Amino acid sequence: MSEKNKYQNRRDFVKKVGKWAVALPIAYLGYELIQKTSAQEFVWQIDPYKCTQCGQCETNCVQTVSAVKCMHAYEMCGYCDLCSGYLRQGVKERNTGAELQLCPTSAINRSFIENPYFAYTIDEELCNGCGKCVKGCAAFGNSSLYLQIKHELCVNCNLCSIAQTCPAEAIQRVPNSKAYNLKDGYKPKES
Amino acid sequence: MNKKILYILLFIFIGWNYFIYGQARFPKPEFDSGYNYPEYQITEPISPVWEYIDVAVLLIVLTLTTRFTLKTRSRKSIILISAFSLLYFGFFREGCICSIGSIQNIALTLFNDGYTLPLSVLLFFLIPILFTIGYGRQFCAGACPLGAIQELTGIYPVKLPKTVETILSTVPYIYLVLSILFAATDSHFIICKYDPYVGIFRLNGPSTIMIFGILLLVSGVFINRPYCRFLCPYGVILNWVSRFSGKHLTITPDICTNCRLCETSCPYEAIIPSDLLQEKESMVKSRKKFIIYLILLPIITVGGIFFLQMFSENLAMVNQKVRLAKELRLEKENEIKAISIDAVTFKESGSTLEQLFLEEQQILERFRKGTPWAGGFLGLSLGLALLLTTINRKRDEYKPDQGKCYSCGRCFEYCPIHLEKLELK
Ligand code: SF4
Ligand code: SF4
Ligand code: SF4
Ligand code: SF4
C-alpha cells in the first residue's frame, strides 16, 4: 500500500508540474498576442487600382460562382455608345446581340438614355467576376467598371483563396467598417 | 463668341480634371432627360456582432459538454450537443473561423507586423485550450464542428493495425509544423486550403476538396474520426495539454473492477488497459530501452533540425513570390520564357527584378531561420514519443489515455458500474 502511495504521489507531482509547464507558456502567449489584437473584424476586398483583371477571380474563389462581381462607378462612366467594356473589339454593329458582347454571360444590360448616351448596368446574378469588361473599359474607356468582392456572397475565408493567388496582390484585408473600395468614393448609406 | 470661349474654358477644365484622374477619356455626360444615376447594389458584410455571438456560443457549448462528460456522464447529451455544434458552427456559420485554422492567424500575428489579430480569433484559439487544461478535450467532444461531423458519422468502428495507426498518427505533427511555418512566413494557410469538411458545410467548394471531403466522410464511417486522428494539427496541441488536465473523463464512475468489458469499446485506441491481468515487460528490459531512447532523444532532435533545414528552399516554393522569382530568374538566365499569369502581371507592373530578388532573399532567409525550429520540434516530439513508450507505470484500473481521448463518452455504456448507477437513478 505504501508503495502505491509513493507512485501515486510521484504521479500527482509530475502532473502538477506538467500542468504549470503547459499553463504558463500559454498564458504568456495570450499576453503577447493580446497586444497585437484589435476588436475590429476584417473582410477581404479588392483594390481596384491594383487589380489587373487577370481572370483568377472567376476561377479561384471557393464559391463556385465567384463572390467577385463587376461594379459600375456610374459617375465615372462616359455613357458611350461604343462601349469598350460592352462590345467586342472590332465589331461593326452596335446592338445587344450576344455575339457582339464582351461579357461571356451577357451580364451587362445596355439601355438607351438619350442621344448619344447609353447606360450600362450589371446583372449580378449573371456576372461571374471574370473581369473581361473591366479590362475592356480600362483599355479604351473611362475605367468605370471594376471588380469588388460582394460580401453577401463571400463567406470571408480565413485566407481568401483568390488573394492567395492574385498576381497583383490586389486583395487585402480591410476593416469591416470600410468593406468596399469604391472607385467613385460612394459611401453606403448608414443603416 | 463669348459662349465659345466659355466652352473652351470648360473643356480645358474638364480635360485637365480627367488628365489628373488618368483614365477618364470621355467627359461626364450632362443629361437633359432627367436621368439619375442608379443606386449602388451594395450590401454590408455580416455584422461583427456575430463573431462575439460565436464566442459566447462556444463558451456555453464547452460548459455544457464538460457537464455532460464529467458530471451527468451521458453519451446521448454529448451526441446532442455535437449535433448542435455541427449545425451552428458548421452549417450555419459555415465553418469559418474555427479553432484549428486560428493556429495560422496566431503564427501570422506573432511573426508579422502588418497583421492585426481580431479578438474573436484569439478567443477561439485560447478558450478550447483553457478548457482542456481544466477538463480534457471537451472541445473535441462537443464543440468542434469537424469533430462532430466525424463523431456522428462514425458508425461502424474498425480497428487499424497498430503499426499503421502509429505511423499515420505522426502526420498531424508534420501538418502542424508546416502550417505554422507557412503562416509565419506569410506564404499560405494550408489548414484552410485543405480543410476537407468546410466544403460540405458550405455545400459549395472546389471539386478536389469536395471529393476529398466526401471520401474522408465515407471512410470515417469505419475508420472513426480520420481527420482528428491522422490530420488535425489543433488536436496535437490539445493532446499535449490534455495530458496534464486537472480533471478528466473516466470510464467508470467508481472504482474499476477490471472486468475488461470496456477494453475494446474505444474506436480511437485511447483506453490504456490495467496491467493486473497482463504480462509485463521485465523491469530490466524496459529500463535498458529507456536509456537507449534517452540517448537517442538529442540525436533525433538534432537530426530533425538538419533534415528540415536541408529542405528550406524547397519548402519556400510554397510562397508565391519565391516561385515568381524563380521563374523570372530562369527566364533571365536560361531564356525559358516566363508565361505564368504572375510573371506577366509582374512585367506589366513596372517593378524591378532587383527588388523582387531582394524580397525573395528575405523570404528565403525567414525559411532558413524557421525550418531548424520546425525540424527540432518534430525530432523532439518523435523522441519523446519513443521515450514515453518505455515508461511502464503500474496501473490497476482501465483509464483513458488523456492525450488521445476525445471525451466522446462511447465507453460509458460498456462499464457495468456505470449502468448499475444509471439504473439506481
Ligand atoms: S486575382 Fe487579383 S488581379 Fe486578378 S482579377 Fe482578381 S483582383 Fe484582379
Ligand atoms: S474570401 Fe473566400 S468566398 Fe470571399 S472572395 Fe475570397 S475565396 Fe471567395
Ligand atoms: S481533433 Fe481536431 S478536428 Fe478533431 S475534434 Fe479535436 S480539434 Fe476538432
Ligand atoms: S471517451 Fe475517450 S476513452 Fe472513451 S471511447 Fe471516447 S475517446 Fe475512447
Side-chain angles (χ1 to χ4, degrees):
Chain A
M1 201 60 201
S2 74
E3 196 193 18
K4 191 192 160 194
N5 275 338
K6 196 180 90 193
Y7 277 118
Q8 206 66 46
N9 281 339
R10 197 199 287 165
R11 234 176 263 175
D12 285 348
F13 177 71
V14 167
K15 212 166 168 185
K16 215 176 242 168
V17 171
K19 200 169 168 180
W20 283 106
V22 165
L24 286 180
I26 289 172
Y28 178 70
L29 186 71
Y31 169 75
E32 274 286 296
L33 285 168
I34 208 107
Q35 296 169 342
K36 290 187 167 190
T37 300
S38 82
Q40 181 74 262
E41 297 292 333
F42 295 88
V43 291
W44 295 98
Q45 194 49 275
I46 299 173
D47 180 346
Y49 293 102
K50 283 190 178 168
C51 168
T52 58
Q53 301 90 41
C54 65
Q56 305 219 47
C57 272
E58 179 194 349
T59 50
N60 285 18
C61 180
V62 297
Q63 302 287 67
T64 20
V65 178
S66 174
V68 174
K69 301 285 170 210
C70 176
M71 299 236 289
H72 199 174
Y74 300 107
E75 302 199 16
M76 289 170 71
C77 178
Y79 287 80
C80 326
D81 183 6
L82 184 73
C83 171
S84 56
Y86 180 74
L87 295 164
R88 286 203 185 158
Q89 229 180 309
V91 289
K92 298 265 157 32
E93 285 161 272
R94 247 170 266 164
N95 59 41
T96 50
E99 72 285 359
L100 306 178
Q101 293 179 22
L102 201 54
C103 178
T105 58
S106 296
I108 306 182
N109 294 320
R110 168 183 159 106
S111 54
F112 177 71
I113 304 285
E114 63 183 57
N115 217 0
Y117 299 133
F118 286 82
Y120 299 92
T121 50
I122 317 288
D123 183 348
E124 286 183 1
E125 294 277 309
L126 294 176
C127 173
N128 61 10
C130 71
K132 292 202 171 78
C133 59
V134 180
K135 213 174 190 107
C137 181
F140 302 107
N142 283 1
S143 202
S144 57
L145 294 171
Y146 60 109
L147 294 176
Q148 289 284 282
I149 295 171
K150 300 288 288 192
H151 292 298
E152 73 273 25
L153 303 169
C154 170
V155 289
N156 200 14
C157 309
N158 199 5
L159 177 64
C160 170
S161 78
I162 320 172
Q164 172 58 33
T165 50
C166 171
E169 293 182 45
I171 304 187
Q172 288 144 352
R173 293 181 177 89
V174 296
N176 200 305
S177 50
K178 287 187 219 110
Y180 289 90
N181 292 321
L182 297 171
K183 255 193 156 173
D184 49 0
Y186 172 93
K187 299 247 167 10
K189 282 187 210 85
E190 300 287 324
S191 55
Chain B
M1 193 63 204
N2 249 347
K3 235 182 177 176
K4 229 179 199 168
I5 293 176
L6 217 69
Y7 273 130
I8 291 172
L9 279 178
L10 190 72
F11 191 75
I12 291 175
F13 176 72
I14 291 173
W16 174 244
N17 253 313
Y18 282 120
F19 177 71
I20 293 179
Y21 293 113
Q23 287 152 318
R25 300 181 177 92
F26 304 101
K28 190 168 164 176
E30 278 167 38
F31 300 107
D32 300 326
S33 58
Y35 166 82
N36 284 325
Y37 293 118
E39 286 274 318
Y40 254 105
Q41 307 163 307
I42 275 192
T43 31
E44 287 300 288
I46 185 163
S47 156
V49 171
W50 274 103
E51 319 277 340
Y52 294 98
I53 295 179
D54 288 352
V55 173
V57 173
L58 179 70
L59 276 173
I60 295 169
V61 165
L62 282 172
T63 319
L64 283 177
T65 317
T66 310
R67 210 185 129 74
F68 296 152
T69 51
L70 300 184
K71 217 151 166 218
T72 61
R73 297 172 49 86
S74 152
R75 164 87 177 144
K76 249 196 210 117
S77 317
I78 299 174
I79 289 183
L80 282 179
I81 196 98
S82 359
F84 169 78
S85 298
L86 175 61
L87 288 178
Y88 181 80
F89 291 115
F91 289 102
F92 177 59
R93 301 290 284 130
E94 303 191 320
C96 225
I97 170 80
C98 77
S99 302
I100 310 170
S102 73
I103 298 173
Q104 302 161 121
N105 303 59
I106 303 291
L108 184 67
T109 320
L110 284 179
F111 297 99
N112 293 276
D113 287 329
Y115 174 69
T116 17
L117 186 71
L119 182 62
S120 57
V121 177
L122 178 63
L123 292 175
F124 258 81
F125 177 73
L126 284 181
I127 291 172
I129 295 183
L130 292 180
F131 265 84
T132 310
I133 297 182
Y135 311 104
R137 299 172 72 168
Q138 302 300 340
F139 177 73
C140 299
C144 178
L146 280 78
I149 198 173
Q150 298 171 83
E151 182 67 44
L152 297 177
T153 51
I155 306 166
Y156 301 106
V158 176
K159 281 221 155 93
L160 285 180
K162 190 100 192 144
T163 37
V164 177
E165 168 104 22
T166 318
I167 291 169
L168 283 180
S169 57
T170 56
V171 177
Y173 286 83
I174 300 169
Y175 199 20
L176 173 70
V177 154
L178 290 183
S179 59
I180 292 180
L181 184 69
F182 292 144
T185 54
D186 200 0
S187 306
H188 211 319
F189 274 18
I190 50 173
I191 300 177
C192 298
K193 176 96 184 174
Y194 302 109
D195 181 340
Y197 298 110
V198 76
I200 297 171
F201 295 155
R202 293 172 181 163
L203 304 174
N204 194 347
S207 53
T208 41
I209 292 297
M210 289 298 272
I211 292 169
F212 178 44
I214 289 166
L215 281 182
L216 216 57
L217 205 61
V218 172
S219 63
V221 174
F222 308 102
I223 307 161
N224 289 186
R225 289 204 189 226
Y227 185 82
C228 295
R229 285 199 284 170
F230 308 129
L231 283 167
C232 179
Y234 196 59
V236 173
I237 300 175
L238 294 186
N239 180 321
W240 280 93
V241 173
S242 177
R243 291 176 196 216
F244 305 106
S245 70
K247 284 212 183 93
H248 195 279
L249 168 145
T250 53
I251 303 171
T252 166
D254 214 326
I255 293 164
C256 173
T257 56
N258 282 283
C259 67
R260 303 186 61 181
L261 285 175
C262 63
E263 208 165 52
T264 53
S265 66
C266 180
Y268 314 118
E269 315 269 346
I271 293 178
I272 313 176
S274 136
D275 46 30
L276 287 185
L277 309 161
Q278 274 169 1
E279 289 269 318
K280 267 186 80 174
E281 222 176 24
S282 77
M283 216 42 174
V284 188
K285 209 171 157 196
S286 59
R287 198 156 279 174
K288 232 190 215 159
K289 257 196 194 162
F290 179 81
I291 291 170
I292 294 174
Y293 287 149
L294 198 63
I295 298 168
L296 268 179
L297 183 65
I299 300 176
I300 299 178
T301 310
V302 173
I305 292 178
F306 284 107
F307 182 76
L308 218 64
Q309 200 175 21
M310 263 174 15
F311 290 102
S312 73
E313 250 152 69
N314 304 54
L315 289 172
M317 287 300 281
V318 168
N319 190 295
Q320 198 188 3
K321 274 242 170 70
V322 176
R323 274 199 312 263
L324 173 65
K326 185 162 183 177
E327 191 182 356
L328 289 172
R329 184 171 293 120
L330 268 181
E331 179 180 62
K332 201 173 152 204
E333 286 164 8
N334 304 350
E335 277 157 31
I336 299 170
K337 199 143 174 49
I339 46 159
S340 72
I341 292 181
D342 290 353
V344 173
T345 313
F346 178 81
K347 285 180 202 159
E348 283 171 3
S349 74
S351 20
T352 59
L353 274 181
E354 283 72 45
Q355 186 151 13
L356 179 72
F357 290 154
L358 195 74
E359 271 179 69
E360 181 207 13
Q361 284 314 317
Q362 281 164 355
I363 297 167
L364 281 177
E365 187 53 39
R366 300 185 81 181
F367 270 90
R368 262 179 237 124
K369 274 201 194 124
T371 39
W373 287 96
F377 173 81
L378 278 182
L380 191 67
S381 13
L382 182 66
L384 276 179
L386 282 177
L387 199 63
L388 283 184
T389 57
T390 64
I391 293 180
N392 238 329
R393 300 198 294 202
K394 270 220 168 86
R395 281 171 229 283
D396 46 14
E397 55 182 350
Y398 278 79
K399 268 179 80 176
D401 172 341
Q402 294 205 2
K404 280 191 199 166
C405 170
Y406 299 109
S407 297
C408 67
R410 282 187 195 235
C411 48
F412 290 163
E413 283 140 40
Y414 289 79
C415 179
I417 302 168
H418 171 86
L419 293 177
E420 203 173 296
K421 281 220 164 163
L422 269 191
E423 255 161 50
L424 279 182
K425 262 189 209 164

